Amino acid sequence: MRTADWQDYELIDTSSGERLERWGNVVLIRPDPQIIWNTPKKNPLWKQANARYIRSSKGGGHWETFKPVPSVWSVSRNGLTFRLKMMGFKHTGLFPEQACNWDFVIKKIREANRPIKVLNLFGYTGAATLACLAAGAQVCHVDASRGMVTWARENAEVSGLADRPVRWLVDDCEKFVLREQRRGNVYDGIIMDPPSYGRGPNGEVWKLEEQIYRLVQMCLPILSREPLLFLLNSYTAGLSPAVMEYLLGVLVQKRYGGRVSCDEIGLPVTETGLVLPCGSTAIWQTE
């Protein structure tokens, strides 16, 4: 399992379906369905957290605040700064386990020793986009949420990357890829972090397991003649790392050679010394 080092973030403990986390100076308790163990909550921060997200039996939930939490605060890692907020449905605007993938794309782009153009689909608040920009790549960041794209631009500004070559686009990812095909635009790298489930503006249902093959297939015509990487993330238990590896193997590796790998990504837990699984990643890359 791949992990990454942090100073501004810490997964302190896990128990009874919850995470105890430190985001900078803010301590939060958030639900996590994978935490099925009921270990003793010995760490005193369980009783000293700033806030806890309480899930509702009817869906959704709310934050219960015990100590003041800024409306916006920031954490940093390796020169990149991320603005955080206590959002609906437990999120803060950052998935810290993805830092191992940021490190990978930075290293791969820098070692390419040539201009690299990256497409970041489902770009969310822009952490992967910032990593690519910091490494010297040109990036096209696409997300269907205007609020998320605005947030990503703010992250670029506070990270000192606002002047880098990046396009911030509010668009449906599938429709955008089809338009790029027609326009003849190509990319050396594609990063894809799709949701497990969602609905489009007209009620269209998105299920990752049912539509990911088609979406990756749609991206093949917009890869350059000498592509560098294709990175695919998943947070759904129904799509194992090996399945995603196979998917990239039959679509991308078959056409371009190179190699494919996959793994779970996770977060070290301070209290136990173990690693909490947080998702899966499959990567195609040139040799």
Side-chain angles (χ1 to χ4, degrees), residues 43-109:
N43 194 296
L45 289 176
W46 281 108
K47 297 181 179 179
Q48 299 171 19
N50 294 75
R52 173 185 238 139
Y53 188 85
I54 307 296
R55 274 199 170 139
S56 169
S57 59
K58 299 179 181 179
H62 67 279
W63 287 98
E64 184 178 358
T65 303
F66 310 116
K67 298 178 182 179
V69 179
S71 58
V72 179
W73 76 102
S74 298
V75 296
S76 297
R77 183 179 184 274
N78 293 347
L80 303 180
T81 299
F82 312 100
R83 291 161 57 88
L84 306 178
K85 306 172 190 175
M86 290 198 307
M87 302 165 62
F89 198 65
K90 80 177 183 179
H91 295 302
T92 63
L94 185 68
F95 293 96
E97 66 274 8
Q98 286 292 331
C100 59
N101 284 331
W102 311 337
D103 294 344
F104 164 77
V105 297
I106 288 172
K107 183 174 185 292
K108 196 71 178 177
I109 291 168

Side-chain angles (χ1 to χ4, degrees), residues 10-13 18-21 27-29 43 45-46:
E10 180 186 9
L11 180 51
I12 303 166
D13 198 9
E18 292 182 313
R19 301 181 180 194
L20 176 66
E21 301 170 293
V27 177
L28 301 178
I29 299 172
N43 194 296
L45 289 176
W46 281 108

Side-chain angles (χ1 to χ4, degrees), residues 172-273:
D172 176 271
C173 289
E174 286 193 5
K175 294 177 181 177
F176 175 78
V177 168
L178 290 174
R179 285 197 298 272
E180 290 294 85
Q181 288 183 17
R182 294 193 293 269
R183 288 186 285 240
N185 289 335
V186 296
Y187 298 87
D188 304 296
I190 294 179
I191 298 171
M192 191 182 295
D193 200 350
S196 299
Y197 179 86
R199 288 188 178 273
N202 298 315
E204 309 95 331
V205 175
W206 162 273
K207 291 184 179 180
L208 182 61
E209 296 94 328
E210 296 177 2
Q211 292 166 270
I212 189 61
Y213 177 85
R214 176 174 174 269
L215 184 55
V216 173
Q217 193 174 41
M218 287 168 54
C219 288
L220 296 180
I222 63 171
L223 281 171
S224 67
R225 293 183 178 180
E226 297 182 9
L228 185 69
L229 63 91
F230 198 120
L231 191 152
L232 176 61
N233 287 313
S234 170
Y235 298 95
T236 176
L239 204 61
S240 73
V243 168
M244 296 195 301
E245 179 183 27
Y246 196 98
L247 172 64
L248 293 184
V250 297
L251 290 178
V252 185
Q253 186 181 32
K254 184 177 180 180
R255 176 177 292 198
Y256 293 100
R259 61 188 174 93
V260 184
S261 61
C262 69
D263 212 337
E264 287 188 285
I265 55 176
L267 293 167
V269 182
T270 303
E271 193 72 18
T272 63

Side-chain angles (χ1 to χ4, degrees), residues 125-199:
T125 59
T129 293
L130 268 58
C132 294
L133 292 174
Q138 177 182 344
V139 184
C140 181
H141 175 106
V142 185
D143 197 282
S145 168
R146 185 172 299 277
M148 292 300 106
V149 174
T150 298
W151 194 337
R153 296 185 70 154
E154 293 170 352
N155 282 337
E157 290 171 5
V158 296
S159 295
L161 299 170
D163 61 341
R164 300 295 175 94
V166 56
R167 297 169 64 202
W168 305 105
L169 300 176
V170 180
D171 207 341
D172 176 271
C173 289
E174 286 193 5
K175 294 177 181 177
F176 175 78
V177 168
L178 290 174
R179 285 197 298 272
E180 290 294 85
Q181 288 183 17
R182 294 193 293 269
R183 288 186 285 240
N185 289 335
V186 296
Y187 298 87
D188 304 296
I190 294 179
I191 298 171
M192 191 182 295
D193 200 350
S196 299
Y197 179 86
R199 288 188 178 273

